[in-house]
Amino acid sequence: MDSWWLFALNVLGLGAITLFTRAFFMFPEREVPMPHWLKRGLKYAPLAALAAVIAPELVITQGALIQTFLDARLPAVLCATGYYFWRRGILGTIVVGMAVYLPLHIGLGW
């Protein structure tokens, strides 16, 4: 019975912290003054966070760096990156990456 209360308390506490941190910028009545360089830098924060999450997935398998080039992720990333720089489309980039990844991973077992 004690573990149920601790679990519920953790969930409620994490929910409250998440709500507070996400709504923090909505509390002030006027815009919070920030230097121009900080405003410009904050535009790139989501991209940096996404890269920090995805990059390790591309080069690490089970806690170690990839030891061979016969990994389906590498050609998929190269093709998807090439498509992005060619067409500048996010959806097409995802489709091309998966179109290369799935046959190599499922079909060839890479």
Side-chain angles (χ1 to χ4, degrees), residues 61 66-75 104-105 108-110:
T61 299
I66 296 173
Q67 299 296 322
T68 179
F69 288 113
L70 294 178
D71 192 312
R73 294 175 290 183
L74 299 177
L104 291 176
H105 184 69
L108 297 178
W110 285 14

Side-chain angles (χ1 to χ4, degrees), residues 80-89 93:
T81 303
Y83 179 85
Y84 178 77
F85 284 115
W86 177 49
R87 302 291 284 186
R88 298 284 184 193
T93 302

Side-chain angles (χ1 to χ4, degrees), residues 4-110:
W4 185 85
W5 285 103
L6 288 175
F7 177 76
L9 183 64
N10 281 329
V11 169
L12 291 174
L14 288 171
I17 290 171
T18 302
L19 179 66
F20 178 74
T21 56
R22 295 205 179 245
F24 183 72
F25 292 105
M26 290 187 241
F27 292 148
E29 293 180 7
R30 56 185 169 75
E31 186 176 335
V32 177
M34 286 188 267
H36 180 68
W37 60 268
L38 181 59
K39 285 182 184 179
R40 191 175 62 227
L42 285 175
K43 289 193 315 188
Y44 299 105
L47 179 61
L50 184 62
V53 170
I54 292 175
E57 278 296 316
L58 298 176
V59 295
I60 295 176
T61 299
Q62 297 177 355
L65 287 175
I66 296 173
Q67 299 296 322
T68 179
F69 288 113
L70 294 178
D71 192 312
R73 294 175 290 183
L74 299 177
V77 166
L78 290 174
C79 291
T81 303
Y83 179 85
Y84 178 77
F85 284 115
W86 177 49
R87 302 291 284 186
R88 298 284 184 193
I90 297 296
L91 180 61
T93 302
I94 294 169
V95 170
V96 167
M98 292 307 292
V100 172
Y101 175 78
L102 288 176
L104 291 176
H105 184 69
I106 295 171
L108 297 178
W110 285 14

